[in-house]
Amino acid sequence: MLAGNHAGIKVRVQELLTGGANATDILNKGMLTAMEVISGRFRDGTVFIPEVLLSARAMNEALAVLEPHLAKEKRGASGKVLIGTVRGDLHDIGKNMVGTMLRGVGFDVVDLGINLSVEDFVANVEKHRPDILGMSALLTTTMPEMKKVIDLLVARGLRDRVKVMVGGAPVNEKFAADIGADGYGADAGSSVDLAKALLQKKA
Ligand code: B1M
């Protein structure tokens, strides 16, 4: 991951799985730890956007190899989740991890991608009729998009039909409550518990 070797990491992850390693451990102890190192280097100015992009690509490709194994390790929930990153924001690693973990426990996850406009989110809620809408933002400048989506859901009469969860590094519990979301996920693990709880409330 640190070298951004996306082909190599897929082979390495597969080798670890074949050798009996636990998929959740590979994710938490290996890949996420590496992403923290990259984050630190990016902050310190010792690596730049191209290197971070390479590591991000490696992370996303390795996640795809892990996904079926995470799914085998955990099962139990069933509900539909739409997930995406808000307009102006290209960060997708955290969103992808949350999607992967939700699929892993049995949710039907529709990943809408990144840089989604308010209208994109709301049109997809109308189209897919999910139980939960999940929005991710990594920039302080893009967080306000989340409230705009919730406001448009209200204006279109859709807010009562869908639970809204939000997350991303600058987001917190208070912000989630202030914008009228139903919940805040601090990380992928707690977002799974949150989604299960929201699904129960909806039922
Ligand atoms: Co950007 N970037 N970036 N970046 N980038 C941050 C976010 C930043 C904190 C770095 C820094 O300055 N220290 C900073 C934001 C500052 C701020 O707003 N306060 C920043 C900046 C400034 C920028 C640019 C503006 C840089 C520039 O161009 N000058 C630019 C903006 C581009 C844009 O989006 N318009 C930019 C670009 C990029 C890259 C493209 C190079 C790359 C993204 C590649 C990609 O995602 N495909 C990138 C990266 C990788 C980062 C850092 C280094 C790592 C983010 C990451 O993937 N973390 C990041 C520094 C950092 O966060 N420490 C940084 C790992 C990931 C697993 O964690 O995303 O937090 P995270 O997700 C967690 C939780 O937050 C939660 O669960 C996840 C798993 O545990 N979660 C949810 C996330 N979404 C959720 C949704 C949920 C629930 C939980 O429910 C729906």
Side-chain angles (χ1 to χ4, degrees):
M1 273 218 31
L2 295 179
N5 180 353
H6 67 94
I9 197 171
K10 285 197 287 187
V11 174
R12 185 73 190 116
V13 166
Q14 193 54 61
E15 279 171 4
L16 287 169
L17 289 167
T18 309
N22 175 288
T24 311
D25 283 346
I26 298 174
L27 179 65
N28 291 337
K29 296 184 185 164
M31 288 157 54
L32 277 183
T33 307
M35 188 43 74
E36 277 168 25
V37 173
I38 295 287
S39 298
R41 290 181 184 173
F42 188 48
R43 211 173 27 246
D44 300 346
T46 50
V47 300
F48 299 96
I49 288 177
E51 290 98 325
V52 180
L53 271 175
L54 286 173
S55 293
R57 180 180 175 191
M59 173 98 182
N60 280 333
E61 297 208 8
L63 265 180
V65 178
L66 276 186
E67 190 166 308
H69 299 271
L70 290 167
K72 267 190 234 156
E73 283 170 20
K74 283 188 175 181
R75 281 254 145 232
S78 69
K80 191 181 222 179
V81 182
L82 279 192
I83 190 163
T85 302
V86 299
R87 185 173 60 183
D89 204 320
L90 309 177
H91 296 85
D92 68 353
I93 298 172
K95 181 242 328 147
N96 294 349
M97 280 186 52
V98 172
T100 295
M101 300 290 276
L102 290 174
R103 276 193 200 97
V105 296
F107 280 96
D108 173 12
V109 177
V110 180
D111 188 340
L112 301 172
I114 55 172
N115 193 24
L116 292 157
S117 70
V118 173
E119 186 59 45
D120 284 338
F121 274 114
V122 174
N124 276 290
V125 167
E126 275 173 327
K127 181 177 162 198
H128 293 281
R129 306 274 162 154
D131 299 295
I132 300 169
L133 171 65
M135 291 185 277
S136 180
L138 263 286
L139 299 171
T140 44
T141 50
T142 59
M143 290 162 67
E145 289 294 305
M146 293 172 161
K147 179 170 186 326
K148 293 183 196 165
V149 173
I150 293 174
D151 288 348
L152 190 58
L153 286 173
V154 172
R156 297 264 170 93
L158 296 166
R159 184 65 185 91
D160 294 340
R161 294 196 207 157
V162 65
K163 295 288 180 194
V164 178
M165 63 188 266
V166 294
V171 178
N172 57 37
E173 195 96 50
K174 181 178 183 312
F175 176 78
D178 287 349
I179 64 170
D182 298 298
Y184 156 69
D187 54 41
S190 58
S191 298
V192 167
D193 296 337
L194 172 64
K196 285 181 180 169
L198 291 178
L199 194 63
Q200 273 191 344
K201 276 191 198 159
K202 192 160 182 278

